[in-house]
Amino acid sequence: MSTTDLGTSPLPFDEVRVPVSGGALAVLRWPAREPDAPAVLALHGITANGLSWGAVARHLAGRATLLAPDLRGRAGSAELPGPWGIAAHADDAAALVAGLGLERPVLAGHSMGAFVAALAAVRHPDSFGRLLLVDGGVGFPAPTHLSPDELMTAVIGPAMDRLSMTFPDRTAYRDFWRVHPAFAEQWSAEVDAYIQRDLTGREPELRSSCRLEAVRTDGVGLFDPDVLAAVRRLPSPATLLWAERGLMDEPQGLYDEQRLAEAALADTRLTPEPAPGTNHYTLLTGEPGAARIAGLLLAAAGRG
């Protein structure tokens, strides 16, 4: 199947490079129609890239500027060196605000990006406005009997396997993703562009651009006490939009009412909201989820 068979073309974007510690981050920018429109800084998941926010950008429809970096060690920022870790990404997010001249943008994050967003808000409270956490940011202590490698397998198993695979061409990579249970029924040109941005190398040995050492360090870092505590120390109100289903479209998502009750969020500044009919990925890339996120972002910016 060619990309022309996949529906509407992705919304065009600009790509800029912004100085951070050790180099520069690639940042995708979907500009607003009006110069006084709000800005949103959006952070992707552990093996994703900035184009994962493409459907949200389309639903924002120029009412806000959306800025989505490729985080350190991924896609256009793959060559940026360490240190890795959630705190490093949080500091990079603050550096982007300064480097782009943003005035307290709304800060959003999906999956690992939500943990980064929460920690960034705590470490740099003057840099950001309100937060939107998308199926992430609320963590649970790591099982003490697991080694770091076992912990990573438990957290993102199949995604780690993909980082060591090679593909003969881009069609093969597309075919690999199209049978993924989370995307099987909700494939689009935007999803295709997002997954293709991940590829690097030359045929017939294309591979993921994600640096394995970065992903491993970041994954283990999700269980760091400061990262787990960030949602309890937020300096401004935040929303957690959580998916009904999981990473493989399984009925059990990362969160449910019982897990969130056990997390004891009542005394925090975080308000959970469910997103029925979505899984961990389609909450961000599917039509109902992306539209819901766009609405929440505009509300957080005072334009809803």
Side-chain angles (χ1 to χ4, degrees):
M1 176 176 289
S2 70
T3 55
T4 57
D5 299 322
L6 301 177
T8 304
S9 297
L11 195 67
F13 59 88
D14 304 323
E15 184 170 342
V16 298
R17 300 196 70 83
V18 181
V20 295
S21 176
L25 282 180
V27 181
L28 312 188
R29 177 179 179 269
W30 290 269
R33 293 190 301 265
E34 303 295 334
D36 64 342
V40 175
L41 183 63
L43 311 176
H44 63 70
I46 192 166
T47 62
N49 60 70
L51 264 186
S52 61
W53 291 87
V56 173
R58 175 167 50 81
H59 280 283
L60 284 172
R63 292 171 288 176
T65 292
L66 181 63
L67 298 144
D70 292 334
L71 296 179
R72 189 179 291 259
R74 283 85 169 168
S77 305
E79 298 306 313
L80 193 63
W84 321 112
I86 307 304
H89 294 309
D91 292 346
D92 283 346
L96 292 181
V97 171
L100 292 165
L102 304 178
E103 183 65 32
R104 293 180 62 84
V106 174
L107 181 60
H110 172 246
S111 194
M112 182 197 78
F115 289 89
V116 175
L119 188 62
V122 171
R123 288 170 69 94
H124 306 279
D126 296 331
S127 294
F128 306 103
R130 292 189 175 229
L131 273 70
L132 175 61
L133 309 182
V134 181
D135 218 36
V138 176
F140 303 91
T144 57
H145 65 284
L146 296 181
S147 69
D149 282 344
E150 291 171 331
L151 186 59
M152 287 302 299
T153 299
V155 174
I156 57 168
M160 288 293 289
D161 295 338
R162 172 174 58 85
L163 303 188
S164 300
M165 297 173 64
T166 60
F167 300 85
D169 53 38
R170 291 184 175 274
T171 298
Y173 197 52
R174 179 180 301 119
D175 292 343
F176 171 85
W177 275 104
R178 288 213 63 166
V179 298
H180 191 292
F183 291 112
E185 301 301 323
Q186 297 195 52
W187 193 259
S188 69
E190 288 162 336
V191 170
D192 188 72
Y194 149 51
I195 65 103
Q196 294 291 344
R197 185 171 175 82
D198 178 49
L199 279 182
T200 191
R202 296 182 178 181
E203 297 181 1
E205 293 189 353
L206 297 172
R207 57 179 175 79
S208 170
S209 62
C210 296
R211 296 178 65 167
L212 186 60
E213 64 269 33
V215 172
R216 188 186 306 276
T217 302
D218 293 345
V220 173
L222 293 173
F223 299 93
D224 181 272
D226 287 341
V227 174
L228 293 176
V231 292
R232 306 185 184 283
R233 300 165 54 202
L234 295 176
S236 60
T239 299
L240 166 64
L241 185 65
W242 55 275
E244 179 180 40
R245 302 175 70 84
L247 280 75
M248 301 295 288
D249 200 43
E250 67 272 34
Q252 177 61 63
L254 295 180
Y255 306 111
D256 56 30
E257 298 287 359
Q258 180 177 342
R259 288 182 177 181
L260 291 170
E262 292 171 353
L265 300 171
D267 294 331
T268 71
R269 307 189 78 174
L270 186 66
T271 301
E273 293 187 14
T278 64
N279 63 47
H280 180 71
Y281 292 104
T282 61
L283 176 55
L284 182 63
T285 64
E287 285 302 290
R292 179 87 175 273
I293 290 170
L296 288 170
L297 292 173
L298 291 169
R303 299 294 180 95

